[in-house]
Amino acid sequence: MSALICGSYAYDTIMVFPDRFKNHILPEKVHMINVSFLVPGMRREFGGCAGNIAYNLKLLGGDPLPMATVGADFDPYAEWMDKCGISQKHITVVPEHYTGQAFITTDQDDNQITAFHPGAMGESHRNKVSDASGVKIGIVSPDGRDGMIQHAEQFVEAGIPFIFDPGQGMPMFGGDDLRRFVEQATYVTLNDYEAQLMSERTGWSHEELASHVDTLIITRGGEGSDIYTKHGKIQVPTAPIAGIKDPTGCGDAYRAGLLWGLMNDLDWETTGRIASLMGAIKIEQVGPQNHAPSRADIEARFKEAFGREM
């Protein structure tokens, strides 16, 4: 059984600012920001939420089915997918567009400023959930607005449980839209900033959000994550790391862990720790898809981090 991963594929141009944004942004001038950051370090990576989630789920031994729209410049990424053994069955090429492009600047505190050109992502509604077969679980991650709305509706129509992961797509939606997504979803996952924004836009507290779904997951960076279930809140610790190299894609790695746990009917204590571990493994490497532990490596590290088998 597969996980259908609806979301973006993108090329990430990642730049490293060897200072802190806060040293160059005057609080009293935030209404008229005009700043320039010198970034000596720059690289281009394979990214996009669907691409990153699929990559990490494959590392865990899962069978990801990414569903996305991409542009005429997708050939290098397609070759990478083939090398990784990830299906392209539901990747639709829209030749009149570029593949999505993210331009990410990261500072020494791991804060990020991102500019994103959606390109072919805006055509994501061309893909239909009903085109996929053998799907046990789905996820609606940041994508084109119409695609996200329609894919959530299609998961409901197909009777397939799914995770709603609005991420950086949240600004596209108002309170009514977000409430509808939550009511349709089986699970919702957010980081702490997104959770605050979700509460402000929907008017629902975290507990109220959790009451509308089977499970609400809120990640809190270095403080771990909170999982709200029908039986109460579970606090999941972070996995130890050797050092922070790059936070880009950590949230997607975490979500792959969630999908793996759900696909294998694991309890939330275990699922949350697998997700946490995948985020930790990712943050130790630069780029969203440059970490390559074997399944045995992941299992050994899980036991070392949490004192039990995965």
Side-chain angles (χ1 to χ4, degrees):
M1 300 295 286
S2 301
L4 185 62
I5 303 168
C6 299
S8 62
Y9 267 72
Y11 291 109
D12 291 346
T13 300
I14 302 170
M15 295 157 281
V16 179
F17 178 51
D19 200 341
R20 294 174 171 82
F21 295 143
K22 66 182 180 181
N23 295 336
H24 300 268
I25 298 175
L26 302 175
E28 67 275 15
K29 298 291 185 181
V30 293
H31 63 291
M32 51 182 297
I33 290 179
N34 185 1
V35 294
S36 176
F37 302 111
L38 179 65
V39 287
M42 186 182 84
R43 64 187 187 277
R44 194 183 194 215
E45 304 281 1
F46 299 122
C49 293
N52 296 341
I53 294 169
Y55 178 80
N56 284 279
L57 185 55
K58 190 70 177 180
L59 290 178
L60 281 162
D63 183 18
L65 275 180
M67 177 172 279
T69 43
V70 301
D73 57 344
F74 192 65
D75 285 353
Y77 208 145
E79 292 174 7
W80 173 244
M81 290 179 69
D82 285 342
K83 183 178 180 179
C84 296
I86 296 173
S87 171
Q88 296 181 48
K89 184 176 181 180
H90 301 294
I91 301 295
T92 300
V93 177
V94 186
E96 63 269 28
H97 289 289
Y98 288 108
T99 301
Q101 311 276 332
F103 300 89
I104 304 165
T105 305
T106 301
D107 76 354
Q108 287 183 332
D109 289 333
D110 297 319
N111 296 307
Q112 293 183 328
I113 296 174
T114 301
F116 187 75
H117 170 66
M121 193 181 80
E123 301 294 321
S124 61
H125 55 278
R126 297 190 185 193
N127 290 324
K128 310 295 181 187
V129 168
S130 58
D131 293 339
S133 59
V135 174
K136 179 175 183 177
I137 185 81
I139 184 168
V140 175
S141 61
D143 210 348
R145 174 183 164 83
D146 290 345
M148 292 180 72
I149 291 172
Q150 292 178 25
H151 293 156
E153 293 171 348
Q154 291 162 8
F155 274 125
V156 174
E157 291 168 2
I160 299 171
F162 75 96
I163 300 171
F164 176 50
D165 169 29
Q168 293 179 332
M170 194 178 293
M172 296 188 292
F173 303 106
D176 290 342
D177 294 322
L178 293 171
R179 283 189 289 270
R180 188 178 305 111
F181 275 123
V182 171
E183 289 168 346
Q184 291 171 324
T186 318
Y187 318 96
V188 172
T189 182
L190 308 158
N191 64 28
D192 49 0
Y193 175 80
E194 293 159 0
Q196 180 179 343
L197 188 58
M198 175 74 84
S199 290
E200 290 175 357
R201 292 196 174 183
T202 60
W204 291 338
S205 67
H206 295 169
E207 289 74 16
E208 288 171 320
L209 283 169
S211 72
H212 289 276
V213 292
D214 282 6
T215 311
L216 169 68
I217 304 101
I218 300 177
T219 61
R220 302 188 182 281
E223 298 178 6
S225 49
D226 295 333
I227 299 178
Y228 296 79
T229 73
K230 300 298 184 184
H231 305 291
K233 185 172 79 170
I234 300 169
Q235 292 183 302
V236 177
T238 58
I241 59 174
I244 296 174
K245 291 288 185 67
D246 179 11
T248 308
C250 286
D252 297 328
Y254 184 100
R255 281 143 182 77
L258 295 181
L259 285 171
W260 172 255
L262 291 167
M263 292 172 72
N264 289 279
D265 301 317
L266 302 180
D267 61 81
W268 281 110
E269 292 277 3
T270 304
T271 297
R273 283 165 171 76
I274 293 172
S276 177
L277 176 61
M278 293 307 294
I281 290 171
K282 159 60 221 57
I283 207 169
E284 294 175 346
Q285 300 293 329
V286 296
Q289 298 181 31
N290 292 326
H291 53 297
S294 68
R295 174 55 191 262
D297 292 336
I298 295 171
E299 290 178 348
R301 185 155 171 183
F302 184 93
K303 185 173 183 179
E304 180 182 0
F306 303 115
R308 58 189 178 94
E309 300 292 339
M310 194 170 91

